[in-house]
Amino acid sequence: MNGKVHIMLDKDYTVGPIGSRLYSTFVEHLGRCIYGGIYEPGHPQADAQGFREDVRALVKELHFGALRYPGGNFVSGYNWRDGIGPRAERPVRLDYAWSSLEPNEIGIDEFSDYAKSVGSEVMYAVNMGTGTPQEAGYLVEYANFPSGTFYSDLRIKNGHRDPHNIKLWCVGNEMDGAWQTCHLDAPDYGKKALEAAKIMKWVDPSIELAVCGSASSWQPSYPEWDRVVLEYTYDKVDYISLHRYYENLGNELDFLASFHEMDGFIKTVAAAADYVKALKRSKRTMMLSFDEWNIWYQAKTRLKQWEFAPPILEDNYSLLDAVVFGGLLCTLINNADRVRIACLAQMVNVIAPIFTETGGRAIRQTIFYPFAMAAQYCTGTALKVFSKAPVLESAAYGEVSSIASAAAYDEGRGELAILCVNISGETQSLELDLRSFGRVRWIEHRIMDGDLSAVNTFDAPDRVIPRSLAVPADALSMPEVPLPPKSFHLMRFKGEHPC
Ligand code: AHR
């Protein structure tokens, strides 16, 4: 074994609470995410509303806190009224964002029902491109106002007596992006978002708003955009958004070190927000909504012209992608004090953990597993990870740690969960120091390692799955743990007596 890695955890040294919203996702009217993904009326497994039960079962395994909907770039040219009322009367529209045909068979009412059926809340993005602040207000009225007004009564007429009670709203999507329908510069967006936020909160003061931050850390306007937008909106919004996708551009170590870049992005946006907090003499700290993150081979994306549900952005993830993905999960958990919402983009087919055949099977992609493990076990409180590990020299980021790691202690369950990713090309030996936890019992150690190019397909759906390693039966024994090259790990422990 080459490197020695040391991790020390103390249950009194915490980062912050891990809410279910840290494990959220994103469902856009894009490609086969909805049509042919979650919804396919003719499919043998479709329910009465046309939602696929096989897909729903996989969605439930991922324990998503919130489902962000309906876009994405799509939303900046979308009229939400096209998606309500009798299906036969809904218009087919041109979706400018993805050059597709939008049948509008799914809208806010059906999607809210779907989210409820998988135990998640909706995070709804309003249109700040072609849309207006008043339209955003009407939409909040339609979704959340009890009754007795034009839009609340319209919702009731459309079959939903009870309000949807959507608490989380995005004030637009990636408005800094030149690709966005009716893209704006920072002062123009800041003013528009402020007016939309005022109306939306007048209609329902209990809602929480996420304003558009930078669409990526590579945007030329980053991080100035974030500062300017917050100077306009700070007092009226609750979160600033971050979006970031990573891909292997040829240098494998740079790709493996993506978690390091993500951490810097989060810290920079938090610093911009804290600057505005000081400027405004505000007592309120702005939280972050990392509402799009994943691995996406953007360079390979090819759009089709004006088709219904075209198979676009359908990346097939390898084990290497899953290992990198595990590092990104660690960074999100380590920043749980500021990042309160994080949406894996997206949920089905479109750069997603779940992949379907139209009319056929549904499988788990490699990235499904690290997410499912984190969402199920990294709950409770994020702990500070004190780690010592050899450093590596990345061409893109300079010196980076050879491991990514995160830890969560769930007091209710009396369980400690540790995620660890070895990004080096060598086996490293991990020594754990769990000091304040006293006597603990290993519950399990799951690992993903092996052929980094391996992928899951319909014919070999279990080619890449986690395997369990033997753990010591003796509660007191804490052996060194070998971390094979470029591997992902989940280690779980139970307190043997109150710590
Ligand atoms: O998730 C795919 C696209 O990525 C979203 O529509 C957009 O917000 C981002 O650029």
Side-chain angles (χ1 to χ4, degrees):
M1 272 184 247
N2 287 290
K4 282 254 178 221
V5 175
H6 184 88
I7 287 181
M8 192 277 273
L9 300 170
D10 188 315
K11 70 178 167 51
D12 294 326
Y13 289 86
T14 61
V15 176
I18 302 175
S20 62
R21 289 174 174 177
L22 195 68
Y23 303 115
S24 295
T25 190
F26 177 31
V27 178
E28 180 168 3
H29 285 250
L30 195 184
R32 296 191 309 125
C33 186
I34 293 180
Y35 307 111
I38 62 171
Y39 172 81
E40 200 186 324
H43 192 279
Q45 299 242 22
D47 69 8
Q49 271 190 297
F51 291 114
R52 279 178 64 162
E53 292 289 11
D54 55 341
V55 176
R56 191 183 347 242
L58 294 178
V59 168
K60 283 186 180 171
E61 286 181 30
L62 291 167
H63 304 277
F64 292 123
L67 312 184
R68 183 170 178 257
Y69 173 85
N73 297 341
F74 168 79
V75 81
S76 300
Y78 175 57
N79 184 343
W80 65 274
R81 294 163 204 245
D82 290 344
I84 59 171
R87 273 190 175 139
E89 291 167 25
R90 297 186 193 177
V92 173
R93 298 273 191 206
L94 296 181
D95 161 21
Y96 309 136
W98 302 106
S99 305
S100 304
L101 294 180
E102 172 53 51
N104 281 305
E105 285 178 40
I106 296 293
I108 186 170
D109 291 324
E110 295 82 13
F111 192 75
S112 297
D113 290 346
Y114 185 77
K116 212 173 283 164
S117 79
V118 295
S120 307
E121 66 175 315
V122 173
M123 181 183 200
Y124 198 102
V126 300
N127 178 351
M128 284 288 107
T130 59
T132 63
Q134 186 169 50
E135 272 303 315
Y138 289 155
L139 179 50
V140 177
E141 181 187 329
Y142 183 88
N144 289 3
F145 206 80
S147 64
T149 64
F150 181 80
Y151 285 106
S152 57
D153 287 347
L154 186 57
R155 181 198 68 242
I156 293 169
K157 186 172 155 226
N158 288 338
H160 285 78
R161 168 146 293 284
D162 293 333
H164 296 310
N165 271 326
I166 298 174
K167 290 289 163 223
L168 273 180
W169 296 80
C170 303
V171 190
N173 178 71
E174 296 189 350
M175 294 307 298
D176 59 329
W179 58 87
Q180 205 67 213
T181 308
C182 298
H183 144 73
L184 297 170
D185 65 16
D188 284 348
Y189 171 66
K191 286 179 221 161
K192 187 170 180 179
L194 172 64
E195 297 311 313
K198 280 160 53 184
I199 295 177
M200 293 168 80
K201 284 201 172 174
W202 285 334
V203 177
D204 183 352
S206 74
I207 61 176
E208 297 167 49
L209 300 179
V211 76
C212 294
S214 289
S216 187
S217 46
W218 48 251
Q219 275 287 82
S221 54
Y222 159 79
E224 184 64 0
W225 168 278
D226 305 79
R227 178 190 69 77
V228 175
V229 167
L230 283 177
E231 284 196 23
Y232 283 100
T233 59
Y234 200 93
D235 296 332
K236 291 281 178 267
V237 302
D238 306 279
Y239 307 89
I240 180 150
S241 75
L242 299 83
H243 291 178
R244 186 71 166 93
Y245 295 95
Y246 297 90
E247 65 186 301
N248 187 353
L249 294 169
N251 183 322
E252 193 169 284
L253 177 58
D254 287 349
F255 184 43
L256 283 158
S258 299
F259 72 93
H260 178 86
E261 201 279 344
M262 184 190 233
D263 189 64
F265 185 21
I266 291 169
K267 300 279 192 309
T268 304
V269 175
D274 290 346
Y275 169 79
V276 180
K277 177 185 181 186
L279 203 66
K280 294 199 172 271
R281 306 331 186 224
S282 175
K283 290 190 172 52
R284 214 163 48 92
T285 299
M286 184 64 52
M287 293 298 156
L288 310 187
S289 172
F290 212 123
D291 44 46
E292 287 187 36
W293 71 272
N294 199 355
I295 288 153
W296 174 11
Y297 287 88
Q298 277 178 279
K300 292 189 195 149
T301 300
R302 297 278 173 274
L303 298 187
K304 299 186 183 267
Q305 291 297 304
W306 312 124
E307 289 181 16
F308 287 106
I312 52 175
L313 282 73
E314 298 197 351
D315 287 352
N316 190 203
Y317 294 112
S318 66
L319 172 63
L320 175 65
D321 295 323
V323 170
V324 173
F325 184 94
L328 300 176
L329 275 168
C330 291
T331 292
L332 291 170
I333 294 167
N334 289 331
N335 287 285
D337 54 334
R338 290 308 284 271
V339 179
R340 290 294 164 87
I341 304 164
C343 304
L344 162 59
Q346 297 194 3
M347 188 169 86
V348 183
N349 290 330
V350 172
I351 45 174
I354 299 168
F355 197 39
T356 72
E357 286 174 317
T358 301
R361 298 164 282 187
I363 59 167
R364 300 171 187 84
Q365 293 233 45
T366 60
I367 60 169
F368 185 100
Y369 296 101
F371 192 95
M373 287 187 249
Q376 190 172 0
Y377 299 118
C378 295
T379 53
T381 304
L383 301 181
K384 284 201 167 87
V385 179
F386 299 92
S387 66
K388 276 194 289 189
V391 292
L392 300 170
E393 188 66 27
S394 140
Y397 312 123
E399 280 196 348
V400 294
S401 171
S402 55
I403 60 151
S405 54
Y409 179 54
D410 192 317
E411 198 161 7
R413 292 206 297 230
E415 281 185 28
L416 169 69
I418 302 173
L419 299 184
C420 189
V421 179
N422 177 14
I423 70 165
S424 91
E426 315 289 345
T427 296
Q428 304 209 75
S429 168
L430 169 66
E431 189 181 68
L432 287 171
D433 175 353
L434 303 182
R435 32 188 77 184
S436 69
F437 286 94
R439 197 179 152 101
V440 293
R441 177 171 58 82
W442 276 80
I443 305 175
E444 66 169 353
H445 180 179
R446 280 195 243 170
I447 178 173
M448 292 180 77
D449 67 338
D451 174 0
L452 292 168
S453 65
V455 297
N456 291 338
T457 61
F458 290 108
D459 294 330
D462 296 330
R463 174 82 183 75
V464 183
I465 54 172
R467 62 192 172 95
S468 290
L469 297 179
V471 292
D474 167 14
L476 283 179
S477 127
M478 190 55 70
E480 292 200 355
V481 184
L483 305 174
K486 300 172 191 171
S487 57
F488 170 86
H489 302 256
L490 166 75
M491 289 163 268
R492 294 174 55 222
F493 303 87
K494 183 120 189 142
E496 284 279 282
H497 59 75
C499 305

